[in-house]
Amino acid sequence: MTFEFATAARIAFGPGAVRQAAAAVAALGVRAALLVTGRAVERAAPLRADLVAHGVAVTTFPVTGEPTIEDARAGARAVADAKAGAVIAFGGGSAVDAGKAIAALAANGGDPLDYLEVVGAGRPLAQPSLPFIAIPTTAGTGSEVTRNAVLAVPEARVKASLRSAFMLPRLAVVDPDLLAPLPREVIASSGLDALSQVIEPFVSARANPLTDALAREAIRRSPPALRAAHRAGLTGADDQTVGVRADLAFTSVCGGLCLANAGLGAVHGFAAPAGGMLGAAHGALCAAFLAPVMSANLGALRARAPEHPALARFHELAALLTGAPLAEVTAEDGIAAVADLCRALEIPGLGRQGLDAAEIGPLVAKAKVASSMRGNPVTLTDRELIEIVERAL
Ligand SMILES: [Zn+2]
């Protein structure tokens, strides 16, 4: 076997891990840091106090909504103004991606459009990012361990990635206790993003034994944890809730590790352009596409590549997702399990997320050329792609 595996330089995982973050930043020799947060700036107050107590001056930079190229520009200016030696992100995937982009731009100069894929010049970063510390407060994107940041370009209605090995975080602090206040619909949508980010790499053409091991473990843990979280919330201090929080955070980290090293597939091939067109939450879009894409891939593989190794993966997925022995399930059971989970978690269809039937054609055209589509185990026809969107409506 031959593979490469890249991730954050260090991952600190566990309840209370966030309390190590300030000491780790101070240990880098940093005296001033930009703290990128989501809307809920006050949630970062304890971290901010810890940093100050460790001699690190903090400039807070809140990002509302999914980050745009303008957020990256303003953040890089804030780094320069504060003479910050590090960027810390505390928040959901949007804050983490914004922080990662800001740390890259601050060290390299220029404009996001110089480096952005698809809509930009796609120039490679020449310099390592400023030291970047990611502290996720949701369990979804896994961005704390990946080398790309998704930025919206609102005037073009698209999202595109800044991508470089230089952008891997210096430290990922994954503290499951931070998930406690998440509202139900965020648990559902971010959790199904995480699940799709372990399922797609598991059937990807670029899967390797290390990503397989991570994906198997996460696919097994995620569905029961998501159901329990949706039922009872994540605020409890009982052992069961502590375990559910850990399983959700673990799935998210595994998703980041798997997608960064084995690629994704058609779910993300659709979710990226749909996010740019609709402005809907990434996780809810992934959730709506997941079962229809699995079904289309299974059908296409059986019809056109009956010896394809991904077919055995779809069978194994059914066992992992249902907890039943391999001999007692078929690949269809895995797809039914995902559809069932999305129903239980009250995931809205694409129509309710704002997609008009007239936009199916343009969406398919964009999805076909999305970078994630290259990881899909089989090339889907236009007819199959259209059917996926119709079933996800
Ligand atoms: Zn995703």
Side-chain angles (χ1 to χ4, degrees), residues 3 43 46 73 75 92-93 111 137 149 154 164 193 217 282 291 299 320 339 369:
F3 61 84
R43 277 208 70 199
R73 289 174 186 138
D111 191 81
T137 59
S164 169
D193 181 25
E217 189 61 23
H282 170 74
L320 293 166
V369 295

Side-chain angles (χ1 to χ4, degrees), residues 140-141 192-194 196-197 200 259 264 267-268 271 282-283 286:
T141 65
L192 284 162
D193 181 25
S196 71
Q197 292 181 170
E200 292 210 284
L259 79 87
L264 289 161
V267 172
H268 281 78
H282 170 74
C286 290

Side-chain angles (χ1 to χ4, degrees), residues 6 140-143 145-146 197-198 251-261:
T141 65
S143 179
V145 292
T146 69
Q197 292 181 170
V198 283
T251 302
S252 177
V253 174
C254 289
L257 295 170
C258 287
L259 79 87
N261 292 286

Side-chain angles (χ1 to χ4, degrees), residues 7-10 100 132 134 143-146 167-172:
T7 181
R10 184 152 71 94
K100 204 190 288 178
F132 174 59
S143 179
E144 64 276 9
V145 292
T146 69
M167 291 169 67
L168 284 166
R170 183 71 62 95
L171 170 66

